[in-house]
Amino acid sequence: MAKFLAVSGSIRQGSYNAELARYMVRRAQEKGWDAEYIDLHDYPMPIFNEDLEQEQKPGCALELAKQFAAADAVFLATPEYNGSITPILKNTIDWLTRQGQGAFSHAIFGIGSVSSGALAGVMALSHMRDILSKLSALMAPTPLGIGMGATAFDENGEIADPRVKARADKLVDELTSIKR
């Protein structure tokens, strides 16, 4: 069975991006995929530093890198912090690239951002695309930006705006149909 992972670059309680990642998991499951939400809170890693690689490499980084390497599709959601992705997501990516598992060489990657403002995390999405392209990750063509996060989801975790929902579903279709 094909494997789908969704990760949120926010670990705060009530995160809109975690809600988006869970939405994507449900949609992938509806398509028959083995889909899982990865909570970065469960993978604590120190700030990346090459001096730590030999003596204090976090075991959870290797575990997560193996999950990424085994996945067929990975969706990354991030809020926009000061015009970029979150520090926890960037730190996770940095650690995963140092594990020798090919964490970014097998899966198709999709990106999304939910912001509390109207601009829908466009700068974070741009930076995420730049980072993933430097890692030679294959990207699905549709980025998913969602603004006004406080009203973006209904009480059941469904995307409230039908146009945004259609775009999210299109991204799930891309992630579950593109073959590497």
Side-chain angles (χ1 to χ4, degrees), residues 8 24 26 31 40 42 52 62 72 85-86 135 137 147 176:
S8 171
M24 300 298 270
R26 288 191 307 276
K31 292 184 164 294
L40 292 181
D42 297 332
L52 299 178
L62 179 59
D72 298 292
I85 68 172
T86 62
L135 301 175
T176 58

Side-chain angles (χ1 to χ4, degrees), residues 22-40:
R22 287 184 179 102
Y23 173 89
M24 300 298 270
V25 164
R26 288 191 307 276
R27 290 300 175 262
Q29 288 170 337
E30 289 170 3
K31 292 184 164 294
W33 282 51
D34 176 14
E36 176 184 356
Y37 172 71
I38 301 286
D39 187 340
L40 292 181

Side-chain angles (χ1 to χ4, degrees), residues 144-159:
L144 181 60
I146 302 175
M148 311 312 286
T151 59
F153 300 92
D154 67 18
E155 62 279 352
N156 298 316
E158 295 296 314
I159 296 175

Side-chain angles (χ1 to χ4, degrees), residues 32-126:
W33 282 51
D34 176 14
E36 176 184 356
Y37 172 71
I38 301 286
D39 187 340
L40 292 181
H41 191 268
D42 297 332
Y43 295 85
M45 297 176 217
I47 301 291
F48 179 77
N49 176 340
E50 288 181 350
D51 293 339
L52 299 178
E53 281 189 278
Q54 301 308 313
E55 298 174 15
Q56 298 176 343
K57 186 183 289 188
C60 63
L62 179 59
E63 177 188 334
L64 190 55
K66 287 179 179 179
Q67 289 183 61
F68 269 54
D72 298 292
V74 176
F75 176 73
L76 301 173
T78 184
E80 186 172 293
Y81 284 12
N82 299 314
S84 190
I85 68 172
T86 62
I88 192 170
L89 185 56
K90 179 63 167 88
N91 191 56
T92 298
I93 291 169
D94 291 343
W95 274 113
L96 295 184
T97 63
R98 306 300 278 219
Q99 303 307 306
Q101 300 299 309
F104 297 90
S105 63
H106 176 70
I108 307 302
F109 284 81
I111 57 174
S113 181
V114 184
S115 71
S116 53
L119 296 181
V122 295
M123 294 299 293
L125 289 170
S126 176

